[in-house]
Amino acid sequence: MGDLTDAINDMSLRIKQAESMKSEFISSVSHELRTPLTAITGWAETIMSGEARDEGDVRKGMGIIASEARRLSGMVEELLEFSKMQDGRFTLRIEDVDLQTEFEDAVYTYQELFRQDGIRLEYDDDGELYTDPIPGDPERLKQVLCNVLDNAAKHGGSGKRIIASLRREADNYVIRIRDFGPGIPPAELPYVKQKFYKGSSKARGSGIGLAVCDEIITRHGGTFEIGNADGGGALVTITLPIPPHTEHR
């Protein structure tokens, strides 16, 4: 009887925690959506009213509008992905994927963006050409890579350095993305991939991006691990299997 009571109490606590996290998630998303909308509306009204007469101010305003619109679009896409996960509409379009090319495209895209923020993004492929394709959804995989790189800058940008590497280890491709920021508090590590969880970080975000990444990699038969690197900073390790029939060339 005591064990049953403990089980019921534990279940009740988990339900309360889940409800609390959902409430925090809704509040957080509402705030996150409001922030770019406020910036877009404010600058649009300023430019339309003619208050921004200097060409430099107009260009600055338009740049902020474009940047915040992209961020807003990314958040909406993230929410849509989460919705698909919840109701079973989340699917993959499988084809042969050149993982190295997809990874390099993501890295090169972010290198310039990070450079503008004073963050150095280093790419390390050990000088190898990894030509063996893997079955996967290139758009979904690119989504994961971009999300993790963006996250590294968002949460570890204070370290001013990010290392992105690709290796073939046995029958897997292993991608590691490491920042040199404060890392993740040990008490929060078990929950960082959990839906809605944001932890103590003050960085912007909905708290569902890593949950979506984990789902995508899991559906590719791989693993998505988050931890702290030796010497400080957070480390994300993505492992994707190479089909048995694929020979290492």
Side-chain angles (χ1 to χ4, degrees), residues 16-30 196:
K16 287 180 180 178
Q17 289 175 335
E19 290 301 321
S20 174
M21 288 174 66
K22 286 183 181 179
S23 296
E24 290 177 10
F25 166 72
I26 292 171
S27 174
S28 172
V29 168
S30 298
F196 313 132

Side-chain angles (χ1 to χ4, degrees), residues 37 41 91 95 112 123 131 161-162 182 184-185 194 196 225 236:
L37 284 172
T41 302
T91 59
E95 60 184 75
E112 176 59 23
Y123 173 63
T131 57
R161 183 186 178 202
I162 296 170
I184 303 167
Q194 192 169 316
F196 313 132
E225 301 173 354
V236 173

Side-chain angles (χ1 to χ4, degrees), residues 90 140-141 143-144 212-220:
F90 192 86
R140 297 289 195 191
L141 290 173
Q143 177 184 347
V144 171
V212 172
C213 289
D214 187 40
E215 179 76 11
I216 291 172
I217 296 302
T218 298
R219 294 199 179 203
H220 279 81

Side-chain angles (χ1 to χ4, degrees), residues 29-151:
V29 168
S30 298
H31 174 74
E32 294 296 336
L33 291 174
R34 189 182 301 116
T35 302
L37 284 172
T38 299
I40 291 170
T41 302
W43 272 104
E45 290 177 348
T46 298
I47 293 171
M48 288 175 64
S49 68
E51 293 179 36
R53 295 185 177 87
D54 183 80
E55 183 179 347
D57 288 339
V58 173
R59 290 179 62 85
K60 177 184 177 182
M62 293 301 293
I64 291 175
I65 288 173
S67 174
E68 292 298 299
R70 284 194 297 270
R71 186 159 73 89
L72 190 60
S73 177
M75 290 179 64
V76 170
E77 285 299 317
E78 198 173 72
L79 289 168
L80 289 173
E81 292 296 294
F82 174 71
S83 174
K84 290 177 182 177
M85 282 171 53
Q86 293 296 96
D87 62 19
R89 292 181 294 116
F90 192 86
T91 59
L92 300 177
R93 296 181 179 177
I94 302 297
E95 60 184 75
D96 281 347
V97 175
D98 182 336
L99 187 63
Q100 186 171 29
T101 296
E102 296 296 337
F103 190 31
E104 290 178 352
D105 284 349
V107 169
Y108 295 153
T109 296
Y110 277 88
Q111 275 180 329
E112 176 59 23
L113 292 174
F114 290 171
R115 187 190 65 78
Q116 295 172 13
D117 293 328
I119 301 171
R120 187 169 78 255
L121 173 56
E122 302 172 12
Y123 173 63
D124 175 18
D125 61 4
D126 202 29
E128 293 288 334
L129 185 62
Y130 301 105
T131 57
D132 296 332
I134 61 171
D137 184 326
E139 292 302 316
R140 297 289 195 191
L141 290 173
K142 180 70 74 68
Q143 177 184 347
V144 171
L145 299 173
C146 290
N147 189 298
V148 175
L149 287 169
D150 187 59
N151 230 40

